Amino acid sequence: MRVLGIESSCDETAAAVVGADGRVLSNVVSSQIQVHAPYGGVVPELAARAHMTHVMPVVEGALQPIEGGLDGVDAIAVTHGPGLVGALLVGMQVAKSIAFTRGLPLIGVNHLVGHLLAVHLREENAPEPPPYPYVALLVSGGHTALYDLRSPSEIEQLGQTRDDAAGEAFDKVAKLLGLGYPGGPVIDRLAARGDSTAFELPRPMASRRNLEFSFSGLKTAVAQHVAKQGAPRSEQKLADFCASFQARVVDVLARKSVHACQQQGVEDLVLTGGVAANRGLRQRARELCEKAGIRLHVPPISACTDNAAMIAYAGACKLAAGRQDDLSLPVFSRSPVLGEKAHLPNLRSIKRPREPKASRQPGER
Ligand code: KG4
Ligand code: ZN
């Protein structure tokens, strides 16, 4: 079985074809970093427009190496949320059109589930995937949370950030330091040459007992430091500052991930999402996992950042479990929890619109 995956939830237009065993047959990603860089963050309207421009060439690119093109594909998987609604709709309409005209099954995939299963993608240089159960730390620009995966469909959220995502903290701090967008890779690079003990910064929610995160206090401390003293001017001071900030973030991420494994009685930890590319995080997680006797799994960077291969694979798992969607599948911007019905709005919280007041007839009171 071969699944065509389409991803357009944020600032990457992506399509890929993946086998049911996770083998990646094609994988195309068109990044919009250049479009958003001048604004220091993703601009939803520009993202949707760029998806419109790129989605067809990207899908065609993913089908090109497949024998028979679309005839060689058995199902269409598409990200239906969480993400930017205008952006999601572009991928969704393309997926529905293909599914309808070709009579193929349509499978909606939660973007977060895609990230959590990305470690099973089989491509060159990819390490052996972990057995179930495993704990996964998902750290990206929009999400920071810990999950326990018992199978591709039994996923429990153990804790998440109360405010900013870790990637968001990297991006905002980079902006404060005048380092451009996206900030994670730049801070990572500078931090490698810096002294992480040079600056006193707060430890973000360091208590080991809970599995929640919070990065807004750390970001505020950086903002206050920059407001009082300005951004570090010399190359070395800037590197030291980045190293101090990064150490605070990666230490709490790695500690709580190991604690989550111990709490759940699980021996395998997976790092995934864009921030999993961070060398400091990989290093700190390696150290702590070694001490605790936990096996660490980090997918290749191309599988950690947004891509459609992870969506296609998650779709293949859902289809193998006998689940698929129909052409009325909606997109959704946020979901508080992962799960089958996570994308459905809480009907109790939807207020009925007020009945319009009947206009009074002359003479009525
Ligand atoms: O998973 P991803 O590609 O997109 C989202 O779903 O958000 O993650 C993007 C995020 C950005 O915030 C970016 O700054 C961060 O991942 N990032 C990094 C690194 N590479 C990307 N953060 C820290 N260190 C890195 N090397
Ligand atoms: Zn993502």
Side-chain angles (χ1 to χ4, degrees), residues 154-327:
E154 293 166 276
I155 303 174
E156 184 192 351
Q157 185 175 292
L158 305 172
Q160 65 173 333
T161 179
R162 291 183 177 180
D163 39 62
D164 293 348
E168 197 179 352
F170 270 97
D171 293 338
K172 287 178 175 171
V173 164
K175 199 171 176 180
L176 286 166
L177 298 175
L179 297 176
Y181 172 85
V186 192
I187 291 186
D188 189 1
R189 231 179 3 257
L190 285 164
R193 313 185 234 123
D195 171 7
S196 63
T197 62
F199 287 87
E200 260 311 310
L201 289 170
R203 295 175 152 273
M205 273 187 75
S207 153
R208 245 178 66 111
R209 264 168 299 158
N210 80 40
L211 297 176
E212 292 191 318
F213 303 96
S214 167
F215 296 105
S216 69
L218 177 58
K219 176 194 66 190
T220 305
V222 172
Q224 285 169 344
H225 178 95
V226 172
K228 267 196 222 140
Q229 306 182 28
R233 268 182 283 274
S234 78
E235 190 61 36
Q236 190 54 49
K237 282 265 176 295
L238 190 60
D240 291 346
F241 196 86
C242 288
S244 305
F245 163 75
Q246 179 171 292
R248 289 288 182 261
V249 176
V250 303
D251 189 61
V252 74
L253 290 173
R255 273 179 198 284
K256 292 201 177 187
S257 301
V258 168
H259 178 54
C261 292
Q262 290 165 334
Q263 177 192 292
Q264 299 300 107
V266 165
E267 290 174 354
D268 292 87
L269 172 67
V270 169
L271 304 184
T272 189
V275 183
N278 186 273
R279 283 171 290 172
L281 175 59
R282 289 171 176 228
Q283 175 62 29
R284 190 74 186 120
R286 219 175 287 129
E287 286 163 13
L288 296 182
C289 281
E290 218 162 88
K291 261 194 220 156
I294 290 164
R295 289 181 293 265
L296 179 67
H297 308 262
V298 193
I301 290 176
S302 60
C304 286
T305 52
D306 282 355
N307 66 88
M310 67 184 193
I311 302 302
Y313 178 70
C317 293
K318 199 170 155 182
L319 195 62
R323 292 151 61 212
Q324 66 180 70
D325 295 284
D326 60 39
L327 294 175

Side-chain angles (χ1 to χ4, degrees), residues 133-151:
Y134 59 87
V135 163
L137 171 71
L138 168 50
V139 261
S140 70
H143 306 279
T144 295
L146 279 160
Y147 299 92
D148 181 339
L149 285 90
R150 300 275 144 178
S151 77

